[in-house]
Amino acid sequence: MSSSIRSKQTIIIGAIVLLVAFLFTRDIKGLVKPTEENGKMPASGQMAGAETPSASMALNIETSSTAAKNVINKNLATDITALENSYKGAKGAEKVALAKQLAQKWDDVEQITPSALYLEIVAQGEPSSKTWLAAGNQFIKAFESTQDSLAQPALLQKANLSYKNALEKDSTNIEAKTGLGVTIVNGLGAPMQGIAMLLEVVAKDPKNVKANMNLGLFSIKSGQFDKAIPRFNTVIAAAPTPEAYFYLGTALENLGRNKEAVDAYLASKKLAANPTLSSFIDKKVAELKNKN
């Protein structure tokens, strides 16, 4: 292996490690999962939203609710328990109405997984593109925020199925198509299938934030830093976030565009207001300035 190739691999690995370590202490989906490295296909039974038995066991309302109650205010937990008891005894339209309330209650206290599971029940009771899209969006949000390795594949599979159901109701729903592409890129199928889907989305909606963000992430994963930059710039122009600026800085740094990388990292620091990230960025900025 040539020294230039080894050097490039070291840079990519370093970028991924830094992202994982400092970007809000969460895994970067599509970058670090072994099943996604080098475009490998996921294991049999994890494709196209097919929910495995182990995934089903890792995710249900009862266990998710119990776990969530352990991290919220006791009075709020008591209120939710009373609502859940009413839900268990309800039928038909009343049960769906209570599921909506529970989904909102859990979302209000930032417990995304039980909220998503209740939104799935709402969609099953009132199936429409809108209800399935809401469930899919909440499942993908839960997938992106959880550190539970058992729950992650189940959440991704449920998001995948929800988006498929939304598209069955309305094949023109761009948001559902984007979400479906994101689930595929993250492991539910051949990555390029998801990329093609996201490219179709940006062809129709060039400023689509979610599609551009995920196309940028995939470009970083594959070492195509030059392609990542316009994706993150598009995201930043529409909805600037610490993540978008941080990824932009990573891409610029790996292309040797250190001054621009410094600006991007500092923008990420300002928006995030996260002490750990700020400390890291301060050191990174000093290092990059010394290279100039």
Side-chain angles (χ1 to χ4, degrees):
M1 182 184 294
S2 70
S3 59
S4 63
I5 294 176
R6 283 197 298 269
S7 177
K8 185 175 182 181
Q9 287 183 339
T10 299
I11 289 172
I12 294 172
I13 292 171
I16 293 172
V17 170
L18 293 177
L19 287 169
V20 173
F22 292 99
L23 190 54
F24 314 119
T25 62
R26 64 170 183 153
D27 290 340
I28 304 305
K29 310 308 178 186
L31 294 181
V32 297
K33 289 187 177 179
T35 54
E36 294 157 17
E37 290 175 358
N38 302 319
K40 289 181 182 177
M41 300 283 280
S44 176
Q46 302 244 341
M47 305 251 326
E51 191 167 342
T52 62
S54 59
S56 298
M57 291 175 63
L59 197 66
N60 61 68
I61 286 178
E62 287 76 17
T63 56
S64 296
S65 173
T66 299
K69 287 173 188 174
N70 289 330
V71 296
I72 65 173
N73 178 279
K74 287 186 178 180
N75 290 333
L76 291 173
T78 299
D79 291 343
I80 289 175
T81 297
L83 196 58
E84 286 177 332
N85 288 335
S86 297
Y87 166 81
K88 291 174 183 177
K91 295 181 180 180
E94 182 186 2
K95 197 174 188 73
V96 173
L98 288 168
K100 289 180 183 178
Q101 292 182 47
L102 283 161
Q104 187 61 57
K105 286 280 188 183
W106 282 122
D107 188 56
D108 288 343
V109 293
E110 298 182 346
Q111 297 302 311
I112 309 303
T113 296
S115 174
L117 290 167
Y118 278 110
L119 284 177
E120 181 183 40
I121 290 170
V122 172
Q124 290 168 346
E126 297 179 353
S128 69
S129 184
K130 181 179 179 180
T131 56
W132 279 117
L133 177 62
N137 286 344
Q138 199 75 324
F139 277 125
I140 205 70
K141 185 178 179 182
F143 166 73
E144 291 173 347
S145 61
T146 186
Q147 296 298 312
D148 187 337
S149 60
L150 290 176
Q152 284 173 345
L155 289 165
L156 193 63
Q157 289 161 359
K158 282 184 173 292
N160 179 279
L161 182 57
S162 296
Y163 288 130
K164 285 182 175 179
N165 287 338
L167 286 169
E168 285 183 3
K169 298 294 182 181
D170 178 9
S171 62
T172 66
N173 191 316
I174 289 181
E175 190 175 354
K177 190 170 187 178
T178 303
L180 183 60
V182 169
T183 66
I184 294 172
V185 169
N186 276 287
L188 294 184
M192 293 313 298
Q193 178 188 357
I195 293 298
M197 196 171 292
L198 294 177
L199 287 172
E200 288 179 16
V201 170
V202 297
K204 294 180 179 179
D205 181 12
K207 296 181 180 180
N208 188 286
V209 170
K210 186 181 290 186
N212 276 290
M213 188 72 180
N214 281 274
L215 286 168
L217 290 174
F218 192 84
S219 293
I220 285 184
K221 175 193 172 184
S222 58
Q224 300 177 81
F225 300 109
D226 56 332
K227 292 185 178 181
I229 289 170
R231 297 298 180 190
F232 296 131
N233 278 331
T234 297
V235 172
I236 288 166
T241 63
E243 295 96 329
Y245 273 115
F246 193 92
Y247 288 123
L248 175 62
T250 300
L252 289 165
E253 179 185 352
N254 282 289
L255 291 172
R257 295 164 60 176
N258 295 339
K259 186 177 183 303
E260 295 168 89
V262 166
D263 291 339
Y265 282 135
L266 290 176
S268 176
K269 170 186 172 180
K270 183 178 180 180
L271 285 176
N274 178 290
T276 302
L277 183 63
S278 295
S279 177
F280 164 72
I281 287 178
D282 288 341
K283 293 176 183 177
K284 172 59 67 177
V285 167
E287 175 188 326
L288 291 176
K289 286 182 176 179
N290 287 334
K291 290 182 179 181
N292 292 333

